[in-house]
Amino acid sequence: MTHRGLVLSSNVFPLSIGLIGGYLRQQRPGKADIELFKYPEDFAAALERRPPDIIGFANYSWNFHLEYEFVRVIKELWPRTVIVFGGPNYGLEDEEVEDFWRRYGLIDFYIVREGEPAFVDLVDALAEADFDAAAVKRSRRELPNCHYAVDGEIVIGPDLPRIELELLPSPYVMGLMDKFFDENLAPMIHTTRGCPFRCTFCTEGAAYYNVVEQRVASLEEELNYIAERVRGPRDLYISDANFGMFKPDFEKARLIAESQKRHNYPRYIHVSTGKNQKERVIEIAQMLNGALNMAASLQSTDPTVLANVERSNISLDKLSGAGLLANKADTGTYSELILGLPGETVAAHRQSLRDTVQANFDNIRMYQLIMLPQTKLNTPSTRRQFAMKSKHRIMPRSFGRYELAGRSFVAVESEEILVENSTLSYDDYVTCREMDLTVEILHNGKVYAEIQGVCAAQGLSWFDFIMRFFDKRRSFTPGITRLYDEFSRGMSARLWPDRESLSAWVEANIDEMLRDERGTNEMSMGKASAFFALFDELNDVLFAELRAWLAELGRLDAAMAEFLGELKLFSRMRKVNLTDFDSVIEGVFRFDMKAQERANFALPPAAVSFGGEPGHFRIAHTPAQRDQLSEYVREFGKTHDGLGKMLMRYPHVHRVFRRAEVA
């Protein structure tokens, strides 16, 4: 299930439960009546109509407590209903397992690791006992990939071997996912499972997942089925960890490209691309007509940090070359960094940001270190080794008030994030977070591509310009100062020492939270404020800062000053009131802004000067851009939180900035 507070917390099809249900139907045809659920109110209505024998909940960090609050009511009203949980949000260390069953004893069985065959085995065992969970537990039978508690003892079954993906049926083609083809949800598929890397902060870093399984045979039929029915966002989510890195991905990309040609679907593809084989990833991205962004998940570029998390990256030279190739191919790019890994310092984080920006990546996703179950980094010994201190925060958009059978309850999800370690103080952590906000506002989405282009034409570092602004961020205007102050205050105010105090606060303040359109994600709130509320202010300040820098370097002659004035105006016309799809702005310019736009604003003023007569331009959204923006607004709404989620979820926002045409 997904939370439905201000906006949908998760707006993708529930692939994991589809795979579980599809495999059960394939292996035990005619033996089970299966229905899948995403929305809480749909689930509640179905329960009230007919309580089932078994309910299986997919457990992720963004929905566990929502589901467990439902379980409290279910066990009160229908105690014989068997409750099964499964998913990665479950620790496997002895201490973690014991703590889980002590806290969440209403759960009957937990499926760990891969769930499809294990769930079939569990259903068979329950059927033999007439769905009497207590009887199965009393037998202390060791069910594969299954944990359960009985009389203070935790029974742990043996690990099953990994499944061959080609053996799994498509839940789409089986019709199990039909109910989710609405205007809100985007389809999700998988084509691989597993990851060859051993990163200590990731659940797939465990040895169990190191063999990568591939799936190609059923992909074409599945894509056609989806494309003929999709009604909501024309996006496709792929849950693979390293798409494009393996040779079979060429055939997958060909099939997706055929779907684009035949059905105009998918328009955008959301997937984590391979960490190696960047040339292959770029070639595959080119096959997909601009729908795929190339990713390079670095997490850090600091050698000490990388050694501490048992990770190696491709060289920065190769990374930069891959970024340049991707840009030439008009393939969007992004990288990922994690703040707070062992060995992190302010200087190390700043250098990681510099390296990533200068490697020509359009967007940098800057995460905080989340202490995830099933990761080596989350073990007690690692926490002690690096003096790791954590706090709990509300997971963005993951809270709400819900009802079942006349009973109302509040549910909220939280994350345990690192805020301090042996090399990073809490004050340093706050500084790094403000640095990340600055990169999010100025760099991501190419929001200020005009200034970035001038820096390129002048041989200046775009990252140095970003840091020039960052170092003076509280000295410009009251609005910008307030932006950073509210970001830091909100970040600190929304940290709790434990899950219990966070949950109590939410319970007491839920009505206010559901009225507050700003949401709870400080980064998203800050970006939305910068782009939609403070755009004019920031635009003026940034161009003034660029003028000042060029003047200091002796490069601000009369022609450059005039050009910067027009470029600032053009920057405003392209982006102001972005969701006003129908506005048409006309302007007179002495420089060819359409030519500059085509050249990523990197041409010198003399190369685009009209000389005598100025040019008249019409600046407006194209029909395709209007359609895309309308789709975004339908998906996210126009609340502050929704607009922030739109900017964060769709990092290629520059593609919907108004275009210039000669009037």
Side-chain angles (χ1 to χ4, degrees):
M1 283 190 286
T2 178
H3 278 275
R4 301 200 70 171
L6 293 167
V7 294
L8 277 179
S9 172
S10 165
N11 67 330
V12 297
F13 281 44
L15 172 65
S16 60
I17 59 170
L19 293 168
I20 299 286
Y23 190 74
L24 176 61
R25 176 175 288 180
Q26 178 198 64
Q27 297 298 309
R28 302 293 181 266
K31 295 293 180 69
D33 180 12
I34 299 163
E35 186 172 2
L36 311 180
F37 298 91
K38 178 78 175 181
Y39 301 127
E41 63 274 18
D42 181 30
F43 178 55
L47 276 173
E48 291 167 18
R49 286 194 304 271
R50 185 183 57 154
D53 295 310
I54 307 175
I55 305 175
F57 292 96
N59 173 22
Y60 297 94
S61 59
W62 43 265
N63 71 357
F64 173 70
H65 290 91
L66 165 63
E67 295 180 334
Y68 196 73
E69 291 303 320
F70 267 92
V71 169
R72 291 185 196 277
V73 181
I74 291 166
K75 281 297 188 182
E76 177 189 339
L77 298 178
W78 306 289
R80 278 188 56 86
T81 295
V82 182
I83 302 297
V84 184
F85 272 61
N89 190 36
Y90 176 87
L92 294 178
E93 294 283 318
D94 290 345
E95 186 178 326
E96 293 176 298
V97 172
E98 291 168 5
D99 182 64
F100 182 89
W101 289 102
R102 186 166 53 250
R103 290 169 176 263
Y104 307 112
L106 295 178
I107 296 171
D108 291 308
F109 301 95
Y110 202 102
I111 302 292
V112 300
R113 307 198 188 283
E114 290 186 314
E116 291 89 355
F119 188 65
V120 173
D121 289 342
L122 174 60
V123 170
D124 286 346
L126 287 164
E128 290 171 13
D130 194 26
F131 300 99
D132 184 345
V136 174
K137 293 179 195 178
R138 284 194 300 271
S139 74
R140 285 172 168 74
R141 178 174 170 183
E142 292 187 355
L143 298 163
N145 281 19
C146 184
H147 294 189
Y148 59 89
V150 54
D151 298 331
E153 175 189 353
I154 300 168
V155 178
I156 295 178
D159 287 347
L160 283 170
R162 298 277 306 285
I163 193 169
E164 294 179 37
L165 286 198
E166 295 287 15
L167 298 178
L168 294 179
S170 167
Y172 289 95
V173 176
M174 296 178 89
L176 282 171
M177 310 290 264
D178 283 358
K179 67 185 293 185
F180 305 116
F181 286 102
D182 61 18
E183 294 184 354
N184 299 313
L185 301 179
M188 174 182 276
I189 64 170
H190 71 317
T191 74
T192 67
R193 190 182 289 179
C195 177
F197 303 107
R198 296 289 185 97
C199 306
T200 64
F201 50 79
C202 177
T203 56
E204 285 193 304
Y208 180 83
Y209 295 107
N210 281 154
V211 174
V212 177
E213 288 286 342
Q214 300 277 356
R215 165 183 172 257
V216 180
S218 59
L219 186 57
E220 183 175 15
E221 184 182 14
E222 184 172 79
L223 286 169
N224 286 333
Y225 191 95
I226 292 169
E228 290 167 1
R229 290 164 177 79
V230 67
R231 293 170 52 203
R234 299 193 67 79
D235 295 9
L236 177 66
Y237 287 77
I238 304 177
S239 65
D240 302 9
N242 296 285
F243 186 78
M245 198 173 85
F246 307 105
K247 288 182 180 179
D249 292 335
F250 280 110
E251 176 61 13
K252 300 170 194 173
R254 186 190 69 77
L255 294 173
I256 295 172
E258 281 294 314
S259 177
Q260 289 177 318
K261 184 178 179 181
R262 190 180 302 118
H263 303 290
N264 191 30
Y265 176 84
R267 185 177 298 163
Y268 291 113
I269 299 167
H270 303 264
V271 64
S272 178
T273 57
K275 299 167 183 62
N276 294 328
Q277 304 290 341
K278 288 303 175 189
E279 291 80 4
R280 181 180 293 163
V281 173
I282 292 168
E283 188 176 348
I284 284 173
Q286 287 178 291
M287 295 171 63
L288 296 172
N289 307 300
L292 177 69
N293 285 348
M294 186 190 78
S297 301
L298 296 174
Q299 317 312 352
S300 175
T301 63
D302 183 80
T304 300
V305 173
L306 293 173
N308 287 340
V309 297
E310 301 177 25
R311 180 183 174 88
S312 61
N313 288 331
I314 64 174
S315 73
L316 289 173
D317 287 342
K318 285 186 178 179
L319 185 69
S320 183
L324 285 171
L325 279 173
N327 287 332
K328 287 179 181 177
D330 196 28
T331 297
T333 57
Y334 71 90
S335 186
E336 295 175 332
L337 298 175
I338 299 176
L339 170 63
L341 293 169
E344 184 84 280
T345 64
V346 174
H349 191 65
R350 187 165 179 149
Q351 187 63 43
S352 293
L353 289 169
R354 176 183 292 278
D355 292 337
T356 314
V357 168
Q358 293 185 168
N360 304 295
F361 281 83
D362 302 340
N363 289 273
I364 305 172
R365 296 176 179 172
M366 296 152 289
Y367 299 115
Q368 296 179 82
L369 175 58
I370 304 172
M371 309 307 290
L372 291 172
Q374 299 187 30
T375 63
K376 183 177 178 180
L377 208 59
N378 191 33
T379 59
S381 59
T382 304
R383 288 178 180 240
R384 287 191 297 270
Q385 179 184 356
F386 296 105
M388 301 167 79
K389 296 182 180 179
S390 63
K391 295 280 189 180
H392 292 253
R393 70 172 182 180
I394 299 169
M395 187 168 287
R397 307 173 188 92
S398 297
F399 56 86
R401 187 189 296 281
Y402 304 95
E403 288 190 5
L404 173 60
R407 290 156 173 80
S408 176
F409 53 88
V410 172
V412 59
E413 311 305 331
S414 62
E415 296 172 319
E416 184 184 3
I417 59 169
L418 184 130
V419 297
E420 191 173 341
N421 63 31
S422 56
T423 56
L424 188 78
S425 69
Y426 180 76
D427 288 342
D428 290 344
Y429 158 81
V430 172
T431 297
C432 289
R433 287 280 286 156
E434 290 193 0
M435 201 183 303
D436 291 346
L437 175 65
T438 305
V439 172
E440 183 66 59
I441 291 170
L442 269 60
H443 178 74
N444 285 0
K446 295 185 177 180
V447 174
Y448 293 100
E450 301 87 355
I451 297 176
Q452 189 173 356
V454 173
C455 288
Q458 293 290 317
L460 301 174
S461 165
W462 166 234
F463 185 77
D464 283 348
F465 179 81
I466 294 172
M467 289 297 102
R468 181 183 173 103
F469 174 86
F470 169 74
D471 291 337
K472 298 193 285 185
R473 60 195 180 280
R474 285 185 170 84
S475 65
F476 292 117
T477 68
I480 295 172
T481 299
R482 187 165 55 251
L483 172 72
Y484 281 93
D485 287 347
E486 288 179 353
F487 176 77
S488 293
R489 275 198 305 271
M491 179 173 55
S492 299
R494 294 187 182 92
L495 294 175
W496 286 266
D498 49 50
R499 158 79 197 175
E500 290 72 24
S501 54
L502 178 151
S503 183
W505 186 90
V506 171
E507 180 88 33
N509 293 275
I510 187 64
D511 292 331
E512 181 182 346
M513 292 176 69
L514 292 173
R515 287 194 300 267
D516 187 351
E517 294 187 349
R518 296 171 302 170
T520 59
N521 185 322
E522 296 86 18
M523 191 68 72
S524 175
M525 290 165 61
K527 179 146 188 171
S529 295
F531 189 83
F532 289 103
L534 291 173
F535 181 79
D536 280 332
E537 204 166 315
L538 268 168
N539 200 54
D540 288 348
V541 163
L542 291 168
F543 275 94
E545 194 61 27
L546 179 60
R547 287 173 64 99
W549 196 20
L550 292 175
E552 290 168 15
L553 297 171
R555 302 185 191 181
L556 188 69
D557 56 21
M560 177 60 78
E562 183 181 16
F563 172 68
L564 291 181
E566 289 202 350
L567 195 61
K568 180 179 79 170
L569 177 62
F570 184 62
S571 171
R572 182 184 187 279
M573 290 175 169
R574 296 174 75 214
K575 307 156 201 170
V576 72
N577 299 326
L578 186 67
T579 56
D580 182 0
F581 320 136
D582 299 318
S583 64
V584 177
I585 307 170
E586 298 210 359
V588 177
F589 295 91
R590 301 192 68 82
F591 298 91
D592 188 345
M593 292 302 170
K594 185 173 177 62
Q596 275 288 21
E597 191 176 29
R598 285 197 301 266
N600 294 318
F601 304 97
L603 297 174
V608 290
S609 174
F610 284 126
E613 289 295 318
H616 292 249
F617 287 91
R618 179 179 181 273
I619 301 160
H621 288 115
T622 66
Q625 287 178 318
R626 283 198 295 272
D627 290 345
Q628 185 65 70
L629 278 167
S630 297
E631 194 171 287
Y632 287 165
V633 170
R634 268 198 316 274
E635 186 175 353
F636 299 109
K638 285 191 176 184
T639 67
H640 195 84
D641 190 36
L643 292 171
K645 187 177 181 183
M646 178 188 82
L647 294 175
M648 302 286 281
R649 182 66 62 87
Y650 290 96
H652 32 63
V653 67
H654 64 282
R655 294 181 181 177
V656 291
F657 291 164
R658 297 179 187 90
R659 301 283 174 82
E661 296 294 340
V662 176

